[in-house]
Amino acid sequence: MSHFGRTGPPDITDTYSLLVLNITFRTTADDLYPLFDKYGKVVDIFIPRDRRTGESRGFAFVRYKYADEAQKAVDRLDGRVVDGREMAVQFAKYGPNAERIQQGRIIEKVSRIKGSSRSRSPCRRYRDDHYRDREYRSRSRSVDRYERDRYKRRERDYRRRSRSHSLSPDYDRGRGRGRDTKHHRRSPFDSASPPRRSLSPYRKESPRRSLSPKKRSPEKRSHIERSPTPRSRSPLGRAMDSRSPSPHADEE
DNA sequence: GTTGAGCGTT
């Protein structure tokens, strides 16, 4: 996605990946490109996003073609304030497939040997949450907070997704926004250029019209609500629809 | 609209 219009990793054979942390959730590859490109040949910029919500996770990967340029970028851009936050630039420790890399360069190809790719926990980000209760209970406080925070985020995402059956409206909306980058691109990385800041009046309005429920004055509303049907106030009282469980509510 | 430790995609 965050490539030159292509999908998937382009060529990580002789590239040096930098891990950019502490960037804002609105920062895109287009924002980072001009900064990193000044210090060397940037091959690719990838910002991991949430698969459910599509939002940025707050960090990015910048691939350089040469190590010296990557090192220079780390030295110059580490601590640089972008969008109000200090981003931390450092060499990546792991590759796309959890391979061990040195100075951003992959020195160990993904070995299919079982036991070899032990490294960190497998799929710890996608593990289910049913068995985590007893797990995090035995954790220390610091870790507990750490785990809880992570779960809080995931819970939020999962909850929104669990509401829908198959097609979530928000998911469709997120994708629709990303596909809007067909008019023009300002950088080789046309990844996701959402008009976050320069929001022109061309913004699409939501299906829900600006219908304020409190638009009507209390008097009018009372009047309308009181006589939706002329026969509602029949002297018998029983003639009313069975929607009024409490007859005294009419007196108010 | 929010959040803030961390290591990545067709």
Side-chain angles (χ1 to χ4, degrees):
Chain A
M1 293 180 183
S2 307
H3 314 286
F4 304 91
R6 306 294 293 182
T7 54
D11 51 337
I12 57 178
T13 48
D14 287 321
T15 58
Y16 299 86
S17 299
L18 294 183
L19 174 64
V20 185
L21 294 173
N22 212 27
I23 63 177
T24 64
F25 297 95
R26 295 177 296 270
T27 302
T28 62
D30 295 347
D31 300 327
L32 299 177
Y33 177 71
L35 292 174
F36 286 84
D37 190 63
K38 292 189 300 185
Y39 301 100
K41 170 80 168 141
V42 176
V43 179
D44 176 59
I45 295 182
F46 172 63
I47 297 182
R49 298 184 301 173
D50 193 286
R51 291 182 176 176
R52 296 166 290 277
T53 63
E55 290 185 67
S56 173
R57 266 194 253 166
F59 62 96
F61 290 98
V62 179
R63 285 215 202 94
Y64 274 96
K65 182 61 179 171
Y66 304 103
D68 56 331
E69 297 176 343
Q71 177 62 55
K72 189 165 57 181
V74 171
D75 188 58
R76 308 290 299 191
L77 294 177
D78 183 40
R80 179 68 61 90
V81 178
V82 176
D83 202 14
R85 285 197 87 84
E86 245 188 29
M87 63 176 183
V89 182
Q90 56 195 245
F91 279 98
K93 283 166 58 182
Y94 304 100
N97 293 328
E99 318 99 328
R100 294 198 307 179
I101 59 183
Q102 193 172 52
Q103 280 197 334
R105 188 181 68 161
I106 300 177
I107 61 176
E108 183 177 295
K109 305 242 175 180
V110 48
S111 306
R112 300 303 181 191
I113 312 172
K114 41 183 163 183
S116 181
S117 60
R118 58 98 220 149
S119 285
R120 53 207 179 92
S121 323
C123 306
R124 81 179 196 197
R125 282 177 52 247
Y126 299 116
R127 62 182 172 189
D128 296 340
D129 350 354
H130 39 268
Y131 62 84
R132 57 105 174 166
D133 288 303
R134 56 188 69 152
E135 282 246 319
Y136 89 87
R137 205 174 59 186
S138 52
R139 303 244 182 224
S140 52
R141 236 173 300 179
S142 43
V143 182
D144 184 23
R145 177 189 60 81
Y146 164 77
E147 289 291 326
R148 237 186 326 140
D149 236 34
R150 291 185 69 89
Y151 282 124
K152 193 169 66 178
R153 283 173 38 197
R154 292 172 71 258
E155 253 186 17
R156 176 193 63 179
D157 298 336
Y158 276 143
R159 201 168 294 178
R160 293 171 65 182
R161 176 170 161 272
S162 300
R163 282 297 131 190
S164 300
H165 290 79
S166 47
L167 261 293
S168 359
D170 60 282
Y171 179 66
D172 207 12
R173 177 164 50 87
R175 284 181 66 240
R177 184 187 59 179
R179 292 176 57 182
D180 199 49
T181 69
K182 56 169 71 174
H183 33 237
H184 76 289
R185 55 193 65 165
R186 54 183 182 176
S187 83
F189 306 100
D190 63 311
S191 57
S193 326
R196 64 211 184 284
R197 240 177 298 190
S198 308
L199 248 181
S200 299
Y202 305 124
R203 64 174 185 182
K204 300 180 187 292
E205 295 185 8
S206 294
R208 46 179 68 181
R209 280 289 162 195
S210 24
L211 222 163
S212 304
K214 311 167 97 165
K215 198 95 179 260
R216 288 88 177 265
S217 37
E219 297 177 326
K220 269 210 165 169
R221 180 185 64 179
S222 202
H223 181 70
I224 295 177
E225 283 190 356
R226 278 194 183 275
S227 45
T229 46
R231 50 190 173 88
S232 288
R233 293 207 57 156
S234 204
L236 273 96
R238 297 286 293 179
M240 295 164 47
D241 293 329
S242 53
R243 307 166 59 166
S244 303
S246 39
H248 59 271
D250 207 31
E251 297 178 355
E252 205 258 302

